[in-house]
Amino acid sequence: MHYMFLSCRKATELIEKKLLIGLSAKEKVQLMFHTSMCDACKKYSKQSHELDDLIRHHIENFIPEQSDLRPIASEFKEKIVNSLEKKE
Amino acid sequence: MSIAKGNITDWVEKYTDELVSWAYYKTKQQALAEDIVQDTFIAAYNNIGKFQSKSSPKTWLFSILKNKIADHFRNKLQQSMVHESDMQSESSSNILDRLFDNTGSWVTASRPSSWDTPEEELLDNQEFNKVLKACMDLLNEKSYLSLQYKYLKGKEGRVICQELGITPSNFWQILHRAKLQLRECIDQNWFN
């Protein structure tokens, strides 16, 4: 196979590598060449970038409305304040 | 009473519930969540000099908490990698064989098609985030912890790899499989 040709499997791998640590010059050309001809991987690339933003936002901000967390006892807050007092 | 301590006592009263509920959502263990929040207040107390009154105490406390939770995820991830000599666990290599044929082309049913909702409308959409959460819960432990650590730390990829003691190629392969799986899951459960 010509060195310019990537499989879709390899192209999606490079799309993720690009997002994480960047690509070598050769990899950039290979990926550009592939996505210019492959509609599915072009869509994957766009969605992978969107997904990156969505995951980041979700991980930083999302709290489900309902939680089975037990209520925080006031003793717990006292315990924290006491642990700070010991440090003085 | 020092200014620092007066502030923090007040913050404990005001923000503990929110901090614990977030930590609990992340760790799924109440006792652990409470321990991490207590550590957060101790760290805040010890570093009160670094707090700039221009920023909100809540934002500052949450940034400390995020770091503590990320460290917890890193420890768990490192433990799980010690126990697993083969980097490619079975379930995660299956995703590649399911989505691509033996020449590496997309299997017809798995070819990405357009998503019709713009990203901005999804970011704070509760229903979408529930689907995303359900999809993330289906990831194997290593992928889940890797994603959480990467995005909580918000640092550059190479730095994250150094902190995790993992080679960049291993890390991006974990993320590659995780993203393929999440994309497929969201595609099936939200866009279709």
Side-chain angles (χ1 to χ4, degrees), chain B residues 55 73 168 179:
Chain B
S55 74
F73 286 147
K179 292 272 289 283

Side-chain angles (χ1 to χ4, degrees), chain B residues 10 20-21 27 63 68 82 86 89 124 126-127 144 169 174:
Chain B
D10 186 32
V20 172
S21 89
T27 61
S63 73
K68 299 243 171 248
V82 170
D86 182 14
S89 73
D124 291 309
Q126 272 284 330
E127 292 307 310
Y144 181 83
S169 70
I174 294 172

Side-chain angles (χ1 to χ4, degrees), chain B residues 3 9-10 13 21-22 26-27 48 56 58 69 75 80 83 85 110 113 122 125 130 132 134 156 163 171 176 188-189:
Chain B
I3 295 168
T9 310
D10 186 32
E13 195 51 50
S21 89
W22 202 73
K26 289 290 178 190
T27 61
I48 191 73
S56 91
K58 187 177 154 184
I69 291 176
N75 292 337
S80 80
H83 294 301
S85 52
S110 305
S113 53
L122 296 176
N125 181 322
K130 277 184 205 162
L132 181 53
E156 202 238 324
E163 288 172 350
F171 196 56
H176 178 221
Q188 289 172 352
N189 295 291

Side-chain angles (χ1 to χ4, degrees), chain A residues 81 84, chain B residues 1 4-14:
Chain A
V81 173
L84 299 176
Chain B
M1 191 191 279
K5 180 157 171 279
N7 276 346
I8 301 233
T9 310
D10 186 32
W11 295 349
V12 170
E13 195 51 50
K14 264 191 189 147

Side-chain angles (χ1 to χ4, degrees), chain A residues 2-36:
Chain A
H2 192 273
Y3 83 94
M4 286 297 288
F5 290 98
L6 294 175
S7 66
C8 295
R9 178 171 165 158
K10 185 72 189 167
T12 60
E13 196 181 303
L14 290 187
I15 288 164
E16 299 307 332
K17 187 185 178 191
K18 183 179 166 191
L19 270 172
L20 186 70
I21 50 173
L23 298 178
S24 71
K26 181 183 161 190
E27 287 169 333
K28 275 182 201 163
V29 175
Q30 286 178 319
L31 184 59
M32 249 164 55
F33 191 69
H34 182 93
T35 49
S36 72

